[in-house]
Amino acid sequence: MGARADESPKVLAAIKFPPVKALSNELMGLTRQVMPGQQTEMWPMMLLGAYGYPNFAGVSETQGPTMFFFHAAKGDPTPYVILTKMSEKAAMRKALTMKSKGGNSMFGFLSPGLVAVDRDGWTLFSNDAASFEYVQDLDALAHLSDEMKGFDINARVFVGPEMMSKWVQNIKETIADDHVLNGGSVKDPALLHKQLFVEFLATIGENIEWAGIGLNITPDEVAMGFSVQAIEGAPEYSLLSAKAGGPTPIANYVARSMVSYVSNVDHHEILKYYEVLESRAMEVVTEEGRKWLTKAGEVNRTLISKMGDSHVGSIAFSDENVVATSAMSSELDNAVVVESMRFYYEELMPYLLQQCKAMGYPQEAMEMVIKADVAEVQNSPVNEIQSKIGSPLVGQLDPTNEEEYIRTEQTFFSVVMGNVLSSTKLDVLETLANNLTEEKPVADNIASRIQLANGQAIGSEIDVGSAVEIFAQGFDHESEFARQALKQLMASDLAPITSSLRLGDGQGVYEFAVPVSTIVQLSEVSRQIKQSEMEMKTMGGERPQASPKPEPAK
């Protein structure tokens, strides 16, 4: 459990950085790999030499700076204080407190003229000495900073009931003002619906202690993440503490594609939280909304209670079409799934689209229908979700006029051995069902690449090589040099981009990681293409014929 924001009640948000020298080394290590060259070494010295780069003498090598933002009176600028440790003679301290005299200098922003003060072994900076009055409990701020872990650079906004109440009021007033300025009335149902939706979201936000975003930089990867901590005792805390991770056998039967994912989380916790959300929604929706919630609740409780914990899927591109495939473990039968899909697509979805349109949000016009028993696989019926989608300007489509439709989308689904299988291509669904029934793992299956650790609810990867191949299909550069560079990239072994969602102790952390090796390879090809474009301009449009040099053997 993290330190609560009320330990320093005026704190609105905070951004924590690693020790300055360590951060500089991480950033320069990455930059030297991605953009090697003399300029990479020159610019940091020019910009940060006055700050003590590269050694930053006098600045703590173990304590990074943390920037705290505080609540201010309405209409006043948000005050901030930077908490760090450095000596009085540190070059960085001198640079931060020096006010640039050259107002038009491109480097003027590096001399912001901050105010500094030393207190109990800490150095505090701000743009105004009056801001130091907000630091009433230095130990509490230091403790709050220590608790901000998980990312090299870590930013958090502290929420809670009091903060959420203020935000909700401000958002509702902004929505109302905007509605009236656009010719609406404060009594319009559309405005009421928008404000009720804000109130519903607030029932979630008031149980969140903090929400954050972070960045990690290592020699191997660059990762961005989002995290959220629920208040202990709240339903959100239970959800974010749900049992997750472990084996997902069904992933053996789904082949990897450009996007592949695996999920394994206790569905009982999902059901409990759904019932909480349903109860909250009942208190803020209209009478008509309550009728729809009741109908949806019956369907959702049946589905969630009988679905399994494991879900796996992939997304590929074939002949300019998206092929999405998924498999979910469950105890469901075909009749229940078909009737549930009928409700979602033929009743609930049209109603929701109508409500969105009433609130002023343009929507694509759709006609959706469920077709049962369109085929059979492994003695199980195959069903189809057919969606005819038209322009938002068309409005209500005429089912007899096919010219009104922009495109038609199909998804096939079947319940095989209790598992709900689906795909946008019938032959892919049939292959999946056959492999599952015959217990024949496919080559290069998702399970061979993504294994969920304990506490990991979701794991996914993006095959960068497949993405490059899709890009190459439409790449028609005039330069042979550029085309060869892209072919070379396609032949290389590009490490995948990965992501994960971890749960535990009321906290959820989503992380999206890009391998440095992939960044380096992509940036190198980008440089080669730009170089070829410059050469073509120099040669008056003639195509450079030289091919890029082969990569050294690894």
Side-chain angles (χ1 to χ4, degrees):
M1 182 68 179
R4 291 183 59 83
D6 57 14
E7 290 180 12
S8 189
K10 295 181 180 179
V11 176
L12 170 65
I15 305 175
K16 181 179 180 179
F17 298 88
V20 174
K21 185 176 180 179
L23 176 60
S24 172
N25 290 340
E26 289 175 349
L27 292 173
M28 284 305 300
L30 174 64
T31 305
R32 287 183 179 117
Q33 292 187 71
V34 177
M35 295 185 295
Q38 189 175 6
Q39 287 188 340
T40 297
E41 305 299 329
M42 179 181 67
W43 277 102
M45 187 61 71
M46 289 179 60
L47 291 171
L48 302 175
Y51 278 65
Y53 175 85
N55 294 319
F56 299 100
V59 180
S60 174
E61 295 189 13
T62 58
Q63 179 67 52
T66 302
M67 189 173 188
F68 293 96
F69 299 87
F70 300 89
H71 293 289
K74 189 173 182 179
D76 289 345
T78 301
Y80 69 87
V81 171
I82 301 172
L83 185 68
T84 187
K85 290 187 176 182
M86 67 177 66
S87 69
E88 289 188 15
K89 296 182 179 180
M92 176 172 282
R93 179 169 182 153
K94 181 179 179 181
L96 287 172
T97 54
M98 181 182 296
K99 184 67 176 176
S100 173
K101 295 180 181 180
N104 296 324
S105 170
M106 65 179 293
F107 302 124
F109 72 95
L110 293 173
S111 301
L114 300 181
V115 181
V117 65
D118 292 310
R119 187 185 298 179
D120 298 332
W122 293 89
T123 303
L124 282 65
F125 291 93
S126 186
N127 63 334
D128 185 349
S131 296
F132 296 138
E133 296 178 7
Y134 286 88
V135 184
Q136 299 174 3
D137 190 338
L138 191 56
D139 290 338
L141 289 183
H143 180 61
L144 204 58
S145 175
D146 288 342
E147 289 293 308
M148 293 178 65
K149 300 175 181 178
F151 296 101
D152 293 338
I153 300 174
N154 205 335
R156 289 181 181 176
V157 176
F158 299 99
V159 192
E162 182 179 352
M163 190 68 240
M164 184 52 59
S165 177
K166 293 179 180 178
W167 284 348
V168 167
Q169 187 59 38
N170 290 338
I171 292 172
K172 289 174 66 175
E173 289 176 0
T174 300
I175 290 174
D177 291 345
D178 183 66
H179 186 78
V180 172
L181 284 174
N182 284 282
S185 166
V186 293
K187 296 182 179 180
D188 288 343
L191 175 60
L192 174 63
H193 290 160
K194 292 179 183 179
Q195 293 182 327
L196 289 177
F197 183 65
V198 171
E199 290 181 10
F200 170 71
L201 293 179
T203 66
I204 300 173
E206 66 186 12
N207 290 319
I208 300 302
E209 185 176 326
W210 53 258
I213 183 172
L215 180 69
N216 281 336
I217 302 173
T218 72
D220 298 323
E221 67 179 23
V222 177
M224 173 175 276
F226 304 90
S227 54
V228 61
Q229 174 70 55
I231 295 174
E232 192 166 2
E236 286 74 11
Y237 190 95
S238 296
L239 177 69
L240 296 177
S241 303
K243 181 181 177 182
T248 52
I250 200 170
N252 287 290
Y253 307 104
V254 182
R256 289 177 63 235
S257 294
M258 194 183 85
V259 178
S260 305
Y261 64 89
V262 175
S263 174
N264 195 339
V265 62
D266 185 356
H267 70 279
H268 297 98
E269 288 294 339
I270 296 176
L271 178 59
K272 284 168 55 180
Y273 191 65
Y274 169 77
E275 292 175 336
V276 169
L277 292 181
E278 182 184 57
S279 175
R280 292 174 181 174
M282 284 290 190
E283 297 180 3
V284 299
V285 299
T286 62
E287 184 63 32
E288 181 185 21
R290 279 190 283 273
K291 292 178 180 178
W292 280 100
L293 275 176
T294 301
K295 288 183 181 180
E298 295 172 356
V299 174
N300 291 335
R301 273 187 288 274
T302 298
L303 286 181
I304 299 174
S305 65
K306 293 186 177 182
M307 75 180 191
D309 297 341
S310 301
H311 187 198
V312 59
S314 66
I315 302 173
F317 290 83
S318 175
D319 300 326
E320 299 183 355
N321 293 317
V322 177
V323 181
T325 304
S326 71
M328 180 182 71
S329 61
S330 78
E331 298 177 355
L332 292 162
D333 58 48
N334 181 70
V336 171
V337 176
V338 170
E339 288 308 307
S340 298
M341 294 302 104
R342 286 194 192 282
F343 170 72
Y344 288 139
Y345 287 93
E346 296 181 0
E347 295 183 51
L348 183 60
M349 189 65 72
Y351 170 74
L352 293 177
L353 291 173
Q354 183 183 30
Q355 294 303 305
C356 289
K357 185 177 180 181
M359 287 190 287
Y361 301 120
Q363 298 294 315
E364 290 182 315
M366 296 184 183
E367 294 289 345
M368 293 166 286
V369 64
I370 303 298
K371 296 182 177 181
D373 300 326
V374 298
E376 183 178 289
V377 61
Q378 291 294 336
N379 298 317
S380 298
V382 175
N383 314 289
E384 178 187 353
I385 304 171
Q386 187 178 88
S387 303
K388 294 185 176 181
I389 303 172
S391 166
L393 302 178
V394 172
Q396 185 65 36
L397 296 178
D398 177 3
T400 63
N401 185 0
E402 295 294 330
E403 294 181 358
E404 287 189 0
Y405 299 108
I406 295 177
R407 65 186 187 275
T408 299
E409 296 179 353
Q410 296 170 298
T411 299
F412 301 94
F413 65 93
S414 182
V415 181
V416 179
M417 298 172 60
N419 301 287
V420 181
L421 314 179
S422 72
S423 180
T424 51
K425 294 195 72 174
L426 182 57
D427 60 338
V428 174
L429 177 66
E430 291 172 341
T431 300
L432 172 58
N434 292 335
N435 290 332
L436 178 63
T437 304
E438 298 167 13
E439 297 184 352
K440 291 171 51 180
V442 298
D444 196 21
N445 58 68
I446 294 178
S448 68
R449 295 297 296 264
I450 305 176
Q451 296 88 36
L452 299 180
N454 289 334
Q456 185 180 355
I458 299 174
S460 71
E461 69 172 30
I462 298 174
D463 184 350
V464 181
S466 296
V468 171
E469 288 180 6
I470 294 171
F471 172 76
Q473 292 174 6
F475 185 80
D476 185 23
H477 203 281
E478 293 184 3
S479 167
E480 177 66 19
F481 186 95
R483 293 197 297 274
Q484 289 299 323
L486 189 59
K487 287 181 180 179
Q488 181 177 298
L489 179 64
M490 292 169 59
S492 62
D493 184 17
L494 291 165
I497 297 171
T498 60
S499 68
S500 69
L501 173 64
R502 303 187 302 275
L503 305 178
D505 297 327
Q507 186 175 136
V509 180
Y510 174 78
E511 191 170 301
F512 182 86
V514 184
V516 170
S517 62
T518 297
I519 297 174
V520 170
Q521 288 171 283
L522 294 174
S523 62
E524 175 60 26
V525 170
S526 176
R527 278 198 301 273
Q528 291 176 358
I529 293 174
K530 288 180 180 178
Q531 179 184 342
S532 69
E533 291 174 346
M534 292 177 63
E535 291 178 356
M536 287 186 64
K537 290 180 180 179
T538 302
M539 298 170 62
E542 295 183 14
R543 294 188 176 189
Q545 297 300 316
S547 298
K549 297 179 180 180
E551 292 185 350
K554 297 181 180 179

